[in-house]
Amino acid sequence: MGRATAPDPMTSAEALLRTAAAAGIDVCFANPGTTEMPLVAALDAVPDVRAVLGLFEGVCTGAADGYGRMTGRPALTLLHLGPGFANGIANLHNAQRARSPVVNLIGDQTSWHLEHDAPLTSDIESLARPVSGWLRTSSSAQAVPGDFAEAVAAATGPPGSVASLILPADHQQGAVDGPHAVAPATTRPRTSERSVASAAEALGGSVRGPTSGVTLLLGGSALSVRGQRAAARIRRARGARLLAETFPARWERGGDLPTIDRLPYFPQQVQELLATDSHVIVAGAREPIAFFGYEGVPSQLVEAERLLELASPGEDAEAALEELADRLGPDARANADEAPADGASTTGAPEGALDPAKVGAVLAAGLPENAIVMDEAATTGLPFYFAAAPRHTLLSLTGGAIGQGLPCATGAAIACPDRKVIAFQADGSGMYTLQSLWTQARESLDIVTLLCSNRAYRILQVELGRAGVWAPGPVARDLTELDRPELDWVALARGCGVPGERVETAEALARALTRALAEPGPHLIEMML
Amino acid sequence: MGRATAPDPMTSAEALLRTAAAAGIDVCFANPGTTEMPLVAALDAVPDVRAVLGLFEGVCTGAADGYGRMTGRPALTLLHLGPGFANGIANLHNAQRARSPVVNLIGDQTSWHLEHDAPLTSDIESLARPVSGWLRTSSSAQAVPGDFAEAVAAATGPPGSVASLILPADHQQGAVDGPHAVAPATTRPRTSERSVASAAEALGGSVRGPTSGVTLLLGGSALSVRGQRAAARIRRARGARLLAETFPARWERGGDLPTIDRLPYFPQQVQELLATDSHVIVAGAREPIAFFGYEGVPSQLVEAERLLELASPGEDAEAALEELADRLGPDARANADEAPADGASTTGAPEGALDPAKVGAVLAAGLPENAIVMDEAATTGLPFYFAAAPRHTLLSLTGGAIGQGLPCATGAAIACPDRKVIAFQADGSGMYTLQSLWTQARESLDIVTLLCSNRAYRILQVELGRAGVWAPGPVARDLTELDRPELDWVALARGCGVPGERVETAEALARALTRALAEPGPHLIEMML
């Protein structure tokens, strides 16, 4: 570390941004206010850090998450005091659950003004702590470059994390010597020899059958190309079942990659699916935990005695899977491409009124090679996972805080300007951060939003049933229905500068998707379900 | 207190809502999720509490603020765990600064599920503490009705406060004896005899002139009709200058009420205005504090030796002002209506391309009697304060957390269905919570949104100048401009089910305002500035 040499003193804000640029951080998703003006001014002095404006802080934090997932490098956010930061918390919660690298720069009142409790003053640390793996308020301008370098290192990990640096306005503008070096990223630690041996032992006599078997649950870095190819070798050698965690931060899928199902969402489904397994081996994933606690259903869905951890989410799951495969004998030693699964192309193009199955089939068939799909389609999204599709990267809602899809797609498109991005988006959650569309138009991003208009919080209707409210009263039903009035997503998109169209059939969707993908810039297709 | 008798056991959720109904709480602004299903189901059992759905939590919390300002009674919010609550923090910050009564009901994971850190689990207390005057997590179903009764009492005050009650899902559905009684509201304490005597002494020889004088700064309850009439008696008797605090939670204005200017926003303006005063007497307001700390400008804008507190924000400012007026002799003993100030009506209707002055004049002239004006018009809003207008209630942005206007107007309209509501709204801040328009359409609320489209964060452009960045570079300028692409507010409104039109001249604005006010339900007028 130590300070890099710099000829002239500069402001702490400029030194911070030069520290960022030297560490390879090139984007700042910003919604600044008065207390961030020194950092705003410094953005003009450090053109290597590109400022991208969001009209709501949840857009900025969700975009930073998407950027981090696609690049492995943190983006900056620039946010305005406690309330502005608070608007970004929901998507930081998702980012923290995704282990995405994000560095928040949060302006605060001038340090000597804090005690007077001016209207915008609040306890930013209390707000930031629940979503920050690293948190600090800079104590002086001189401390800022070093604090920031620590924040970047903490965010980069591995695993990635949200790091939040609170910067009183006066600490952004004092003279400092220059930027600070950022510690080089560390590598993921190897899993223990014992973990690999235990997993190999569990797989030793594994033959998939009706009463016993082994499931390999993949998450985090295990869902890379390398991790999945190693897992497929294990499947080929021992018949183990492969599953992906329910809401992966990033999952390489499709084309000649192994076909892997996803762990179901509802806990009873998970219990049923895994009931006959002798062992469940987790690699890069957490053990299966119920999303919510339901009476009579355990929180931990696999008993401790059946559970083996090959690699924790922070460990090198790819290497662990390869090591495990190598142990299982010659059958598992070499990669072999799998034939693409049968899918939409062989069953014919769907026709007629849209439903989730047809939407999934049309999307899978129409997906361009190497696309990025951000899935916040909720109840509409499931069939897409069963359709054969070309190679793509899938991002999902990691923390359950809705309103992630449109911002995350925005950040992914900034990160990968040469790839097409599909925002596969439910309507209820889409309304949370629809301001993202404006940033997509402003930055001319190649994003097609497939908006699933079912005019309901459908998942809540399912949960009302599960809660035993089988015949919900008119008030309960009304709180889950979004049809009074109907949202007009084509109008909302146009309001944000994004062209859109509405489709009611599978054929119309296929045509609209082809058209939208052929034109540069963002588009929205409202799918009436 | 003690428990009210109830014949049969009921769920804690139902008991909570019956406690609310008995305390006169009749609205719940809701955006629930899975962990709030027992409360959702109970809303059907307790029809006295009306559920109003918002498509984003910031809509719910801002609406509760507006409802509380207009009724003095708390509304409930119903919010989904930490991330859902976090989406409502910014407007709770404003509500807490407004001293509005609000009771948040925040669902949490089933208590025995918390330790497993499921994806939506977070530290809700840490998030809620900065914006809650009262905060508790219910420890059991049996504790819920009593906890809730305490929350209502804490929220009601006076002064009002945000109270946050965290309810694990299982604690919402246990059997309890019945509802709990809420302690009756207390009255505001009287100010001290000494405070009145000191203020009277300061006013004793007051004659307004170029070098000395006394200013009476009114805020909180002093801006009621009664408070202002008493203040006007003091002005008549002693020539004191009357000023309202910069961002009043609620201010009765117009018609035959005393004409009172507002304390300016920028600290140097405040210093200049008050420079020659021998004393500044605050009543119901805090002492003048700079909104932000600027190099070379003190935080406290009036020196301690010139400052007198007649009544703190928590004390009975109306009674204190009347007592003070009574002391000042016969001239100040009686109320007298003031002649309406000269305004738009005498200077002729404005014509031609819109600017802030014309907007203010048209609004003042076209305002229906007894309207409610929610002012989040930012830099466009100022001229309205100088125009003569019929009697109205003005609500303003108390905490500086933008995105308050549309939700607060929504809540005010729910609170006062017989009054017309004007949402006087800047475009940058309007984008934060535009989902409010959908709730306005759903509930057929008589709200006319006057949307000030200047396609900029104009206040930040002013602040860039103040920060010494007189010629901001292209990046800094770009972060304050919203014209690429231009927002189309008529389309955004239509997308949410609200009819709208765009106007470019003062004459067109006057016609559109008349039309919109004549029709029931919400309307939006996009004013191109």
Side-chain angles (χ1 to χ4, degrees):
Chain A
M1 308 240 209
R3 293 179 175 283
T5 55
D8 293 313
M10 55 178 70
T11 68
S12 45
E14 183 178 336
L16 183 156
L17 292 177
R18 291 201 183 282
T19 302
I25 295 174
D26 53 10
V27 176
C28 175
F29 295 102
N31 187 289
T34 301
T35 45
E36 295 75 41
M37 284 299 132
L39 276 160
V40 168
L43 282 164
D44 267 299
V46 187
D48 289 346
V49 180
R50 169 185 175 192
V52 176
L53 179 59
L55 294 191
F56 179 70
E57 290 85 353
V59 177
C60 299
T61 55
D65 181 11
Y67 182 95
R69 293 191 201 188
M70 294 310 302
T71 63
R73 297 194 312 273
L76 306 180
T77 72
L78 180 54
L79 307 171
H80 186 42
L81 301 105
F85 174 77
N87 285 327
I89 285 175
N91 273 335
L92 290 172
H93 175 89
N94 291 321
Q96 187 68 353
R97 292 287 176 186
R99 302 185 181 83
S100 295
V102 174
V103 177
N104 299 310
L105 305 177
I106 310 159
D108 198 359
Q109 297 285 5
T110 302
S111 58
W112 44 260
H113 192 54
L114 269 169
E115 66 176 301
H116 299 287
D117 194 33
L120 263 170
T121 306
S122 65
D123 183 349
I124 305 177
E125 289 198 356
S126 187
L127 296 172
R129 194 166 292 114
V131 289
S132 304
W134 184 99
L135 172 63
R136 185 175 298 167
T137 301
S138 281
S139 60
S140 69
Q142 288 68 42
V144 165
D147 288 343
F148 176 73
E150 273 190 57
V152 172
T156 305
S161 177
V162 173
S164 297
L165 180 58
I166 302 168
L167 297 161
D170 50 331
H171 297 173
Q172 295 168 34
Q173 45 194 330
V176 300
D177 292 340
H180 201 286
V182 173
T186 56
T187 55
R188 289 178 181 271
R190 302 288 286 226
T191 189
S192 72
E193 159 62 25
R194 186 152 165 267
S195 301
V196 179
S198 302
E201 192 181 331
L203 286 160
S206 166
V207 178
R208 176 140 302 279
T211 55
S212 81
V214 173
T215 288
L216 204 49
L217 178 63
L218 310 175
S221 59
L223 291 172
S224 68
V225 170
R226 202 183 130 203
Q228 292 181 98
R229 289 214 195 277
R233 286 161 53 199
I234 297 166
R235 171 165 65 185
R236 210 163 51 243
R238 289 295 185 273
R241 173 171 46 199
L242 303 185
L243 288 175
E245 61 187 340
T246 313
F247 297 110
R250 176 178 176 168
W251 185 6
E252 301 304 318
R253 297 181 80 240
D256 64 1
L257 284 179
T259 303
I260 297 180
D261 282 346
R262 203 169 59 138
L263 194 72
Y265 171 73
F266 285 114
Q268 292 91 337
Q269 297 172 319
V270 175
Q271 289 182 296
E272 198 176 319
L273 180 66
L274 304 180
T276 59
D277 285 330
S278 65
H279 291 91
V280 174
I281 302 173
V282 295
R286 291 184 63 200
E287 64 168 309
I289 294 287
F291 207 82
F292 295 113
Y294 301 95
E295 193 65 37
V297 181
S299 298
Q300 293 167 288
L301 300 173
V302 176
E303 308 79 2
E305 55 274 21
R306 293 200 293 149
L307 198 65
L308 289 173
E309 185 177 75
L310 175 64
S312 74
E315 290 174 332
D316 187 342
E318 293 163 296
L321 287 163
E322 288 179 342
E323 216 175 304
L324 177 57
D326 288 345
R327 288 211 188 198
L328 297 179
D331 286 356
R333 289 243 165 81
N335 287 329
D337 287 351
E338 305 205 353
D342 286 349
S345 53
T346 59
T347 55
E351 295 175 354
L354 280 171
D355 61 26
K358 293 178 192 171
V359 168
V362 172
L363 172 57
L367 206 60
E369 191 65 34
N370 205 27
I372 299 165
V373 178
M374 170 64 231
D375 169 25
E376 198 183 23
T379 54
T380 306
L382 200 59
F384 171 66
Y385 287 82
F386 299 110
R391 265 292 294 278
H392 64 280
T393 300
L394 188 125
L395 311 177
S396 70
L397 176 58
T398 46
I402 65 173
Q404 181 211 34
L406 299 179
C408 206
T410 304
I414 296 269
C416 304
D418 298 332
R419 300 174 67 174
K420 295 283 183 181
V421 177
I422 305 288
F424 191 20
Q425 181 63 53
D427 52 355
S429 44
M431 277 302 284
Y432 271 55
T433 44
L434 79 160
Q435 306 92 340
S436 310
L437 295 170
W438 183 84
T439 300
Q440 294 177 10
R442 183 177 177 90
E443 302 290 336
S444 302
L445 303 178
D446 286 347
I447 301 174
V448 178
T449 296
L450 293 183
L451 200 290
C452 311
S453 178
N454 64 14
R455 298 164 300 286
Y457 288 130
R458 187 77 79 223
I459 185 66
L460 293 189
Q461 297 176 340
V462 176
E463 292 280 8
L464 271 172
R466 292 176 53 84
V469 189
W470 290 104
V475 176
R477 200 166 52 237
D478 204 42
L479 284 176
T480 64
E481 288 178 350
L482 312 182
D483 60 345
R484 185 168 57 82
E486 290 204 355
L487 292 163
D488 178 344
W489 275 94
V490 175
L492 291 171
R494 183 163 59 256
C496 292
V498 171
E501 65 179 297
R502 178 178 281 200
V503 299
E504 314 213 343
T505 65
E507 305 91 301
L509 172 59
R511 285 193 301 269
L513 180 58
T514 303
R515 265 198 309 274
L517 287 166
E519 284 177 17
H523 295 77
L524 181 140
I525 301 170
E526 183 178 27
M527 307 184 297
M528 304 306 285
L529 291 163
Chain B
M1 306 242 202
R3 290 176 178 284
T5 56
D8 293 315
M10 55 178 71
T11 68
S12 45
E14 184 178 337
L16 183 156
L17 291 177
R18 292 203 183 281
T19 302
I25 295 176
D26 53 9
V27 176
C28 176
F29 295 101
N31 186 290
T34 302
T35 46
E36 295 75 41
M37 284 300 132
L39 277 161
V40 168
L43 282 164
D44 267 299
V46 187
D48 289 347
V49 180
R50 168 184 176 194
V52 176
L53 179 59
L55 293 191
F56 179 71
E57 291 85 354
V59 176
C60 300
T61 55
D65 181 12
Y67 182 94
R69 294 191 200 188
M70 293 312 301
T71 63
R73 298 192 314 273
L76 306 181
T77 71
L78 180 55
L79 307 171
H80 187 42
L81 300 103
F85 173 78
N87 286 328
I89 286 175
N91 274 335
L92 291 171
H93 175 89
N94 291 321
Q96 187 67 352
R97 292 287 177 186
R99 301 184 180 84
S100 295
V102 174
V103 176
N104 299 310
L105 305 176
I106 311 159
D108 198 0
Q109 297 284 5
T110 302
S111 58
W112 45 261
H113 193 54
L114 269 168
E115 65 176 302
H116 298 287
D117 195 32
L120 263 170
T121 307
S122 65
D123 183 349
I124 305 178
E125 289 198 355
S126 186
L127 295 172
R129 193 165 294 116
V131 290
S132 303
W134 185 99
L135 172 63
R136 184 174 300 167
T137 301
S138 282
S139 59
S140 69
Q142 288 67 41
V144 165
D147 287 344
F148 176 73
E150 272 190 57
V152 173
T156 305
S161 179
V162 173
S164 297
L165 180 57
I166 301 168
L167 296 162
D170 50 333
H171 297 173
Q172 295 168 34
Q173 46 195 332
V176 300
D177 293 339
H180 201 286
V182 173
T186 56
T187 54
R188 288 178 180 270
R190 302 288 286 224
T191 189
S192 73
E193 159 63 26
R194 185 148 168 269
S195 299
V196 179
S198 301
E201 192 181 330
L203 285 159
S206 168
V207 177
R208 176 141 303 281
T211 55
S212 81
V214 173
T215 287
L216 204 48
L217 178 63
L218 309 175
S221 59
L223 291 172
S224 68
V225 170
R226 198 181 134 206
Q228 291 182 97
R229 291 216 195 277
R233 285 160 55 199
I234 296 166
R235 171 165 66 185
R236 212 163 49 243
R238 289 296 185 273
R241 171 171 47 199
L242 303 185
L243 288 175
E245 60 187 343
T246 312
F247 296 111
R250 178 178 175 167
W251 184 6
E252 301 305 319
R253 297 181 79 240
D256 64 0
L257 285 178
T259 303
I260 296 179
D261 282 346
R262 203 170 57 139
L263 194 71
Y265 172 72
F266 285 114
Q268 292 92 337
Q269 298 172 318
V270 175
Q271 288 182 296
E272 199 176 317
L273 180 67
L274 304 179
T276 60
D277 285 329
S278 65
H279 292 91
V280 174
I281 302 172
V282 294
R286 291 183 63 201
E287 63 166 311
I289 294 286
F291 207 83
F292 294 113
Y294 299 97
E295 192 66 36
V297 181
S299 297
Q300 293 167 287
L301 300 172
V302 176
E303 308 79 4
E305 55 273 22
R306 292 200 294 151
L307 198 66
L308 289 173
E309 186 177 74
L310 174 64
S312 75
E315 290 174 332
D316 188 342
E318 294 163 299
L321 287 162
E322 289 178 342
E323 216 174 302
L324 177 58
D326 288 345
R327 287 211 188 198
L328 296 179
D331 286 357
R333 291 241 164 83
N335 285 330
D337 287 352
E338 305 205 351
D342 288 347
S345 54
T346 59
T347 55
E351 296 176 353
L354 280 171
D355 61 29
K358 292 178 193 171
V359 169
V362 172
L363 173 56
L367 207 60
E369 191 66 33
N370 207 27
I372 298 164
V373 179
M374 170 65 230
D375 169 26
E376 197 183 23
T379 54
T380 306
L382 199 61
F384 171 67
Y385 287 82
F386 299 111
R391 266 292 292 278
H392 64 281
T393 299
L394 189 125
L395 312 176
S396 69
L397 176 58
T398 46
I402 65 174
Q404 180 210 36
L406 298 178
C408 206
T410 304
I414 296 270
C416 304
D418 298 332
R419 300 175 67 175
K420 295 284 184 181
V421 177
I422 305 288
F424 192 21
Q425 182 62 52
D427 52 356
S429 43
M431 277 302 284
Y432 271 55
T433 45
L434 78 159
Q435 305 93 338
S436 309
L437 296 170
W438 183 83
T439 300
Q440 295 177 9
R442 183 176 178 89
E443 302 290 336
S444 302
L445 303 178
D446 286 348
I447 301 173
V448 178
T449 295
L450 293 182
L451 200 289
C452 311
S453 176
N454 65 16
R455 297 164 300 287
Y457 287 131
R458 187 77 79 220
I459 185 66
L460 293 189
Q461 297 176 338
V462 176
E463 292 280 7
L464 272 173
R466 293 176 52 83
V469 190
W470 290 104
V475 175
R477 200 166 51 237
D478 205 42
L479 284 176
T480 65
E481 288 178 351
L482 312 182
D483 61 346
R484 186 169 55 80
E486 290 205 354
L487 292 162
D488 177 344
W489 276 93
V490 175
L492 291 171
R494 182 161 61 255
C496 291
V498 171
E501 64 178 299
R502 178 178 280 200
V503 299
E504 312 213 346
T505 65
E507 304 92 301
L509 172 59
R511 286 192 301 269
L513 180 58
T514 303
R515 265 198 308 274
L517 287 166
E519 284 178 17
H523 295 77
L524 181 141
I525 301 170
E526 182 178 26
M527 307 183 296
M528 304 305 286
L529 291 163

